[in-house]
Amino acid sequence: MEEKEELIEEIKRLIAVNEDDKVEINPNFLDYFDVEELESIKNKLKVKKSNISQSSLGYLDKLYEKTKKDEI
């Protein structure tokens, strides 16, 4: 049970947009998901968060380049 609780805490951190976000997950999920399923959820969230970060960086780079060309 402790391993499941640790996975739930890590999943909550991955879901949060910033450190101030408080994410609540129903503790009854511990009864419905086994450790492998929670690991899978955690890994998918890591990939999604990484992909979002990468696409955000690309967007910000394009935006920065555009602002360099347009003099204010």
Side-chain angles (χ1 to χ4, degrees):
M1 187 75 144
E2 185 175 316
E3 185 176 6
K4 285 184 176 184
E5 291 170 356
E6 289 174 15
L7 286 168
I8 291 287
E9 288 304 313
E10 189 165 354
I11 289 169
K12 287 163 62 172
R13 282 191 295 276
L14 288 167
I15 291 172
V17 175
N18 62 47
E19 292 178 11
D20 297 332
D21 281 348
K22 182 162 175 89
V23 175
E24 294 296 327
I25 296 178
N26 187 335
N28 292 331
F29 280 152
L30 294 175
D31 296 333
Y32 296 109
F33 294 109
D34 61 26
V35 172
E36 291 81 19
E37 291 170 318
L38 291 171
E39 282 283 347
S40 176
I41 291 168
K42 179 189 79 167
N43 292 334
K44 287 177 184 176
L45 284 169
K46 281 183 175 182
V47 168
K48 280 187 176 186
K49 201 161 197 168
S50 175
N51 289 343
I52 289 171
S53 293
Q54 291 302 319
S55 64
S56 294
L57 286 176
Y59 173 75
L60 291 173
D61 285 343
K62 288 179 187 175
L63 186 62
Y64 175 72
E65 290 300 319
K66 181 174 170 46
T67 59
K68 282 182 18 183
K69 292 176 187 172
D70 298 336
E71 293 192 20
I72 298 174

